[in-house]
């Protein structure tokens, strides 16, 4: 059974850093495209970062230069390093697997972890 | 990038059918047959219910169906059930010089 479990969220001050982790089971992250999306309070979903099976990474303009996605093949995890956090980064962050055929939709999601950026 | 446009809320009675629209542009829905829909019960993991405009993943009820016309995609839920009450999000692949998908703002479905 495919499962994704996020961790690492919490309350952080503006300008601070936080690292989110996503533990995958039922499949191998290194053979799949993996991404992060978020949902700010009262807003819709927003894709923010992706790492493909080849290791190439892509980021939305809203987080480019501040957030970095990576993976640990030995632990079967994907991480999101978030630096220079802003109040507008407050959101529930979801880890998701991108489909392996067309790479255009997310076929499995985690339950999310809440990040609150506030002083 | 702006989100795809969905109605904020829709409602229906058990047994009825409802349709949720998702309006994009000629850079996403209008040019790609890569529209997907997700069901999200708060506090739980979002669930893929439609991909490639009108395909259902294994295990998803055939009460859920998708379609597209021009720059607008639609999700229809027939035979409404209480457990269908949730938030629904559309998504489309979009023209970009890098990977990019665009989501809708979400629609809250209330089963009366």
């Amino acid at each position: 059974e495919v499962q994704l479990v996020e961790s690492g969220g919490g309350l952080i001050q503006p300008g601070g850093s936080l690292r989110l982790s996503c533990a995958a089971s039922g499949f191998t992250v290194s053979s799949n495209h993996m991404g992060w999306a978020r949902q700010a309070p009262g807003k819709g979903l927003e894709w923010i970062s992706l790492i493909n099976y080849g290791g190439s990474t892509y980021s939305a303009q809203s987080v480019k230069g501040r957030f970095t996605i990576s993976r640990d093949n030995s632990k079967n995890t994907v991480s999101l390093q978030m630096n220079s956090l802003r109040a507008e980064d407050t959101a529930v962050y979801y880890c998701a697997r991108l489909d392996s055929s067309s790479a255009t939709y997310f076929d499995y999601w985690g339950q999310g972890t809440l990040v609150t950026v506030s002083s | 990038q702006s989100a795809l446009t969905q109605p904020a809320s829709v409602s229906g009675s058990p047994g009825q059918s409802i349709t949720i629209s998702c309006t994009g542009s000629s850079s996403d829905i209008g040019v790609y047959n890569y529209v997907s829909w997700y069901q999200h019960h708060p506090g739980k993991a979002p669930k893929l219910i439609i991909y490639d405009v009108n395909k259902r993943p294994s295990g998803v009820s055939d009460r859920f169906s998708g379609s597209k016309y021009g720059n607008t995609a639609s999700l229809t839920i027939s035979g409404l059930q209480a457990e269908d009450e949730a938030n629904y999000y559309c998504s489309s692949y979009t023209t970009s010089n890098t990977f990019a998908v665009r989501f809708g703002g979400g629609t809250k479905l209330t089963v009366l």
Side-chain angles (χ1 to χ4, degrees):
Chain A
E1 180 189 8
V2 171
Q3 276 197 322
L4 296 166
V5 179
E6 302 95 336
S7 61
L11 175 63
I12 187 74
Q13 290 189 338
S17 297
L18 206 59
R19 187 178 183 86
L20 306 183
S21 185
C22 171
S25 58
F27 72 100
T28 304
V29 297
S30 60
S31 301
N32 286 269
H33 310 304
M34 299 295 297
W36 288 90
R38 66 184 180 184
Q39 183 178 25
K43 299 287 185 66
L45 290 166
E46 176 192 19
W47 165 79
I48 55 172
S49 200
L50 176 83
I51 182 167
N52 71 12
Y53 67 82
S56 297
T57 61
Y58 307 87
S59 294
Q61 200 60 41
S62 58
V63 305
K64 193 167 288 187
R66 300 187 300 125
F67 291 13
T68 303
I69 189 172
S70 63
R71 69 183 182 215
D72 185 329
N73 296 340
S74 66
K75 295 181 180 179
N76 209 35
T77 59
V78 178
S79 296
L80 185 69
Q81 177 67 41
M82 304 187 295
N83 299 329
S84 303
L85 283 162
R86 307 166 180 165
E88 55 264 36
D89 295 319
T90 294
V92 176
Y93 284 73
Y94 297 96
C95 172
R97 187 182 80 172
L98 202 66
D99 82 284
S100 58
S101 55
S102 64
T104 58
Y105 60 88
F106 295 99
D107 56 2
Y108 288 95
W109 297 67
Q111 289 191 311
T113 185
L114 175 63
V115 172
T116 303
V117 184
S118 175
S119 54
Chain B
Q1 56 181 6
S2 56
L4 304 175
T5 301
Q6 298 180 234
S9 63
V10 297
S11 63
S13 300
Q16 287 186 332
S17 294
I18 62 95
T19 296
I20 299 172
S21 62
C22 172
T23 301
S25 69
S26 56
S27 296
D28 40 63
I29 294 177
V31 70
Y32 296 108
N33 287 323
Y34 293 136
V35 177
S36 51
W37 291 88
Y38 304 88
Q39 177 190 62
H40 188 208
H41 291 101
K44 295 194 173 183
K47 176 186 177 183
L48 175 71
I49 55 174
I50 294 287
Y51 67 98
D52 292 355
V53 177
N54 55 14
K55 297 177 182 175
R56 283 186 307 276
S58 174
V60 173
S61 171
D62 59 4
R63 298 186 299 105
F64 295 91
S65 62
S67 62
K68 187 189 89 164
Y69 184 79
N71 294 339
T72 299
S74 298
L75 171 71
T76 298
I77 308 174
S78 59
L80 271 180
Q81 299 178 0
E83 59 261 36
D84 297 332
E85 184 162 300
N87 295 303
Y88 291 84
Y89 294 91
C90 63
S91 176
S92 175
Y93 191 74
T94 184
T95 300
S96 172
N97 58 359
T98 181
F99 170 83
V101 295
R102 186 170 294 169
F103 288 98
T107 299
K108 166 66 177 175
L109 168 62
T110 300
V111 180
L112 302 170

